[in-house]
Amino acid sequence: MNAAPSFAFDSPEEAIDALARRLGTTGIQQVELSESHDPTRSLHRRVLASPIFADRDSPAADVSAMDGYAIRESDLLKEGPIEVTGESVPGSPPPPESVTGVNRIFTGAIIPDGCDRVIQREHTDETTAASPPDSSSLGQIQWTDKAKTIPSGANIRRQGENLSAGSTAIKAGLELTSPRLAALTNFGIQLVDLHAPVRVAVLTTGDELASATNSDQSPLPPWKIRNSNASALLGLLTNQPWIDCAPPMHAIDEPAALLTAVQYAIEHHDVVLMTGGVSMGDYDYVPRILREAGAEIVFHKLPLRPGKPILGAVHQSESKSTLILGLPGNPVSATMGARRFAMPLIRKLAGMTNWEELPPLVMLEEVGEKTLPLNWLRGVRMTRPGLAALVIGKGSGDVATLAATDGFIEMPPHANHAGPWPYFAW
């Protein structure tokens, strides 16, 4: 009886964490927010390397939360029509405290000195009776019974209640999303420290790829295949502002050529994603070549389907740590492996504090009786929010079925119930 195979780690999470502990972050770029260009375009979703501090209190003064009248408690004792003698409007200094009447105020305007509450306009009876030409009156009001119940402090946003000057407005390690860009502008930031984008190399291997010898062969002979892995990986990596993805490279199944390509990729990039050459065949040179290049192989093979031969390694130098993932050459294995393993680790290198996956959970419409003693990545199509249907393929080379999926779920060994299961969207 054959012994059960042993693996360095029992789950994708354990393997990812083991690689993450060996990785640092990219360097820091200081970017000036010049008025000569649109800063939101160049900063959107970049990763902060240093926290942003408030340059002043927010709000910077006591301001009104309503349209109405800024008053003192004694103003509520006035009977009959009350003169409106001034206005406090956003963007202007407040009027002086009114001795003979009250000040009208608008949302966001500064509370005049001496006022302790704001009465909403709907709790007053307003008139616009004509006044003498030399009068400073802006109209008249009378209090309703409701107005007389408005307590001290009502409808006033106090100075610094959002944030006090010098406090942290945005923590380091966060992406500059739309709300954070608004905060950046609000607190007058002129220089911002960002993590440099992660430089990623895609290195495909194998003589079977048409690009290995002649990319212009037409029609393609049956012993050649097109490089769909490069397209899949580039699709995952591009349009991420925190990733700088180089044009894909290819190496034939020849040790010297592969070593040269690997050494170049390691030297010039923070991440090297390789496809092919990680199994046990006579032409699977990747594990040996990585050792020759000085990389530490953290794991080779995991209890995983598809993608059992996956390899994770790290190359350490004086200046940086380079992540290397050796993905199987089969398209389903390569694409799912890159999404599951590479993307969170690239976020770690990019300096994100919350780099770990927090996948949503979905239920399966139907699940068969089949189980596996492995962690099972299964392609699905979303049918309703939180509900998915399995997309059953014919193997790890079935690109057509993979194209019908919206993502995949991850089931632990021996599981076969409907869920909920973590869902990883493309």
Side-chain angles (χ1 to χ4, degrees):
M1 182 176 179
N2 294 330
S6 60
F7 300 97
F9 303 101
D10 293 330
S11 68
E13 286 84 0
E14 292 177 4
I16 290 169
D17 288 343
L19 288 172
R21 287 194 295 270
R22 292 164 167 82
L23 299 176
T25 59
T26 58
I28 296 175
Q29 299 174 336
Q30 191 170 72
V31 178
E32 183 174 0
L33 277 66
S34 170
E35 295 183 359
S36 63
H37 71 285
D38 180 5
T40 61
R41 184 178 298 275
S42 60
L43 298 181
H44 183 234
R45 294 193 58 218
R46 293 288 302 275
V47 182
L48 275 178
S50 300
I52 299 299
F53 300 103
D55 67 329
R56 62 177 184 169
D57 291 339
S58 175
D62 290 354
V63 297
S64 178
M66 296 284 179
D67 292 343
Y69 297 89
I71 68 166
R72 301 157 297 183
E73 184 172 10
S74 59
D75 290 328
L76 292 174
L77 302 177
K78 296 176 180 178
E79 300 291 342
I82 304 169
E83 296 293 331
V84 180
T85 57
E87 286 186 335
S88 184
V89 298
S92 297
E97 181 181 359
S98 177
V99 177
T100 59
V102 294
N103 286 307
R104 184 179 293 131
I105 195 167
F106 297 91
T107 303
I110 294 180
I111 302 294
D113 288 340
C115 296
D116 66 359
R117 72 199 72 188
V118 172
I119 307 297
Q120 299 99 307
R121 295 186 72 170
E122 57 265 33
H123 297 326
T124 65
D125 292 326
E126 299 178 323
T127 61
T128 55
S131 300
D134 59 347
S135 172
S136 61
S137 175
L138 299 176
Q140 295 178 331
I141 62 168
Q142 294 191 75
W143 304 126
T144 65
D145 290 341
K146 177 65 176 178
K148 296 178 181 180
T149 68
I150 303 299
S152 175
N155 303 314
I156 296 176
R157 295 177 54 225
R158 294 299 182 185
Q159 178 178 344
E161 73 174 33
N162 298 333
L163 206 63
S164 59
S167 299
T168 301
I170 313 175
K171 296 180 180 179
L174 297 177
E175 287 183 84
L176 285 175
T177 57
S178 174
R180 291 169 188 149
L181 287 171
L184 207 69
T185 301
N186 184 70
F187 293 110
I189 302 303
Q190 297 300 314
L191 289 172
V192 61
D193 291 334
L194 304 175
H195 283 284
V198 181
R199 301 167 298 170
V200 181
V202 173
L203 174 58
T204 58
T205 70
D207 292 343
E208 71 276 15
L209 296 181
S211 59
T213 54
N214 182 0
S215 60
D216 297 324
Q217 295 183 62
S218 182
L220 195 68
W223 55 87
K224 293 289 186 180
I225 59 175
R226 296 184 176 92
N227 196 346
S228 61
N229 283 340
S231 298
L233 268 57
L234 290 175
L236 286 171
L237 299 168
T238 53
N239 297 321
Q240 303 285 0
W242 36 273
I243 294 178
D244 179 9
C245 189
M249 301 182 293
H250 183 80
I252 60 174
D253 288 327
E254 196 280 316
L258 182 57
L259 179 59
T260 299
V262 166
Q263 289 173 327
Y264 175 87
I266 290 173
E267 181 181 355
H268 294 92
H269 301 87
D270 305 300
V271 177
V272 181
L273 299 183
M274 305 181 66
T275 66
V278 293
S279 296
M280 298 297 291
D282 291 343
Y283 295 94
D284 292 324
Y285 301 120
V286 169
R288 189 188 95 193
I289 293 301
L290 291 179
R291 290 188 181 94
E292 291 180 13
E296 174 199 1
I297 295 180
V298 179
F299 59 82
H300 184 199
K301 297 182 182 179
L302 292 174
L304 184 69
R305 179 179 289 181
K308 184 178 178 180
I310 188 170
L311 181 150
V314 175
H315 183 278
Q316 302 283 359
S317 69
E318 292 183 2
S319 59
K320 65 185 179 77
S321 53
T322 302
L323 167 68
I324 306 163
L325 278 179
L327 303 166
N330 288 320
V332 178
S333 301
T335 308
M336 288 186 174
R339 171 64 184 86
R340 182 66 180 94
F341 290 83
M343 295 309 293
L345 290 168
I346 294 174
R347 289 196 293 270
K348 169 71 163 57
L349 281 160
M352 295 186 194
T353 302
N354 302 318
W355 60 269
E356 295 174 287
E357 291 273 9
L358 295 172
L361 300 178
V362 302
M363 297 291 294
L364 293 177
E365 289 184 343
E366 295 183 15
V367 60
E369 296 181 357
K370 182 178 180 180
T371 64
L372 289 178
L374 306 169
N375 296 278
W376 197 358
L377 308 182
R378 308 187 72 180
V380 296
R381 174 178 52 85
M382 296 303 299
T383 58
R384 293 205 307 267
L387 191 64
L390 289 170
V391 180
I392 308 299
K394 296 180 174 61
S396 56
D398 188 353
V399 179
T401 299
L402 183 66
T405 65
D406 297 317
F408 58 90
I409 61 167
E410 181 178 317
M411 299 172 67
H414 307 293
N416 71 338
H417 59 85
W421 302 117
Y423 169 65
F424 301 87
W426 297 126

